[in-house]
Amino acid sequence: MPRYALKVEYDGTGFAGWQRQADQPSVQGAIEAALARLEPRAHTIAAAGRTDAGVHARGQVAQCDMVKDWDPFRLSEALNHHLKPARVAIRDCARVDDDWHARFSALERRYLFRLLSRRAPSTMEAGQVWRVNNPLDLEAMRAGAAHLVGHHDFTTFRSSICQAASPVKTLDSLEITCVETDAGPEYRFRLAARSFLHNQVRSFVGTLERVGAGAWHPDQVRTALEAKSRAACGPVCPPQGLYLMGVGYPDDPFAR
């Protein structure tokens, strides 16, 4: 059966997350239903990462196995037709080797978190950013973030229900910038690692927001990390504002 890599974009609002749910809408379920319209049978697809409810993606990567030898462009066009009106789109499609795997072949995941700082409620960006009332200290957040980069035991910053075999991970980068937008100051957190623990990014951002607000000293991030205790973590920020931006592979399947 020919295998295809799919680059997927979606608005996570209204979805119970990526993973198929028996009684709730999911991104995986929407794509599998569209595949069944093309080849009527049960379809099971795999993704590079299982995003939570409310989390978005610009560059999620999934795989599907088909019976027919589809032209990749025609497969993506057909899927986009049958995905309507769900806010899910196949941005690209490529034929890959039979042993290629969207999750296990990946070398890097890249995330973006958008945080809007202003007093007024967000209307145009509702569901797309996390809005906080207070102004934030960019340099303090950068100083706090520096303690997190590298190879660490991230027990403090993972969910109590995380199923990863080990809390030890390597965070390759955590960059924070501030962009003055028409809506107000937007702080953008960009993170890259081979893999992430459950709620790791949201735990980082929620904690660093406390640093930016002046409630934590930047060095308290290091203290929390070294505690290796979930109780030492700052607040976990909400899912809106989090985007899976891209997935890296030894050979980019979408490179032309």
Side-chain angles (χ1 to χ4, degrees):
M1 299 176 70
R3 176 164 292 183
Y4 297 87
L6 308 173
K7 182 179 289 187
V8 189
E9 178 179 277
Y10 50 86
D11 182 336
T13 308
F15 286 108
W18 166 269
Q19 191 170 4
R20 185 194 317 112
Q21 306 284 325
D23 56 353
Q24 299 183 73
S26 68
V27 181
Q28 180 182 7
I31 298 173
E32 289 175 349
L35 287 166
R37 297 289 299 274
L38 304 180
E39 293 186 0
R41 57 183 173 85
H43 290 259
T44 300
I45 61 176
R50 296 176 178 177
T51 54
D52 290 337
V55 176
H56 315 296
R58 293 286 191 188
Q60 170 73 283
V61 178
Q63 68 185 62
C64 65
D65 295 328
M66 307 297 285
V67 172
K68 178 181 172 181
D69 189 3
W70 287 82
D71 173 77
F73 175 76
R74 292 186 179 276
L75 178 57
S76 64
E77 290 288 285
L79 284 173
N80 283 330
H81 174 76
H82 290 296
L83 280 166
K84 298 174 185 177
R87 300 188 70 175
V88 181
I90 308 302
R91 292 182 54 193
D92 206 348
C93 178
R95 178 74 183 271
V96 291
D97 294 337
D98 294 346
D99 61 352
W100 185 91
H101 197 282
R103 177 185 176 190
F104 299 118
S105 299
L107 298 179
E108 180 188 60
R109 278 86 173 167
R110 299 182 298 277
Y111 282 90
L112 164 69
F113 195 97
R114 299 171 58 200
L115 191 164
L116 180 65
S117 172
R118 75 180 204 181
R119 295 289 303 178
S122 176
T123 55
M124 303 301 291
E125 298 286 352
Q128 307 299 309
V129 298
W130 176 31
R131 181 191 64 84
V132 299
N133 292 332
N134 44 280
L136 299 173
D137 184 330
L138 176 62
E139 293 307 320
M141 290 192 293
R142 285 174 170 169
H147 296 301
L148 300 172
V149 177
H151 189 69
H152 303 290
D153 181 328
F154 287 110
T155 296
T156 298
F157 299 98
R158 75 164 175 171
S159 167
S160 60
I161 61 172
C162 180
Q163 298 179 351
S166 170
V168 178
K169 297 285 183 182
T170 299
L171 180 65
D172 295 322
S173 63
L174 200 176
E175 299 176 353
I176 312 172
T177 57
C178 181
V179 178
E180 291 294 336
T181 72
D182 291 340
E186 184 177 306
Y187 295 86
R188 297 177 181 174
F189 300 73
R190 296 184 183 274
L191 305 92
R194 187 181 185 102
S195 61
F196 288 87
L197 300 164
H198 188 207
N199 278 357
Q200 186 176 0
V201 174
R202 290 168 56 194
S203 296
F204 283 168
V205 175
T207 298
L208 292 171
E209 186 276 336
R210 292 290 78 203
V211 173
W216 282 42
H217 188 277
D219 288 345
Q220 286 181 258
V221 177
R222 180 182 60 198
T223 302
L225 175 68
E226 293 173 348
K228 301 176 186 177
S229 168
R230 186 62 176 167
C233 185
V236 178
C237 69
Q240 64 265 27
L242 181 56
Y243 298 74
L244 174 55
M245 297 299 290
V247 185
Y249 295 93
D251 295 303
D252 183 358
F254 306 107
R256 295 293 187 264

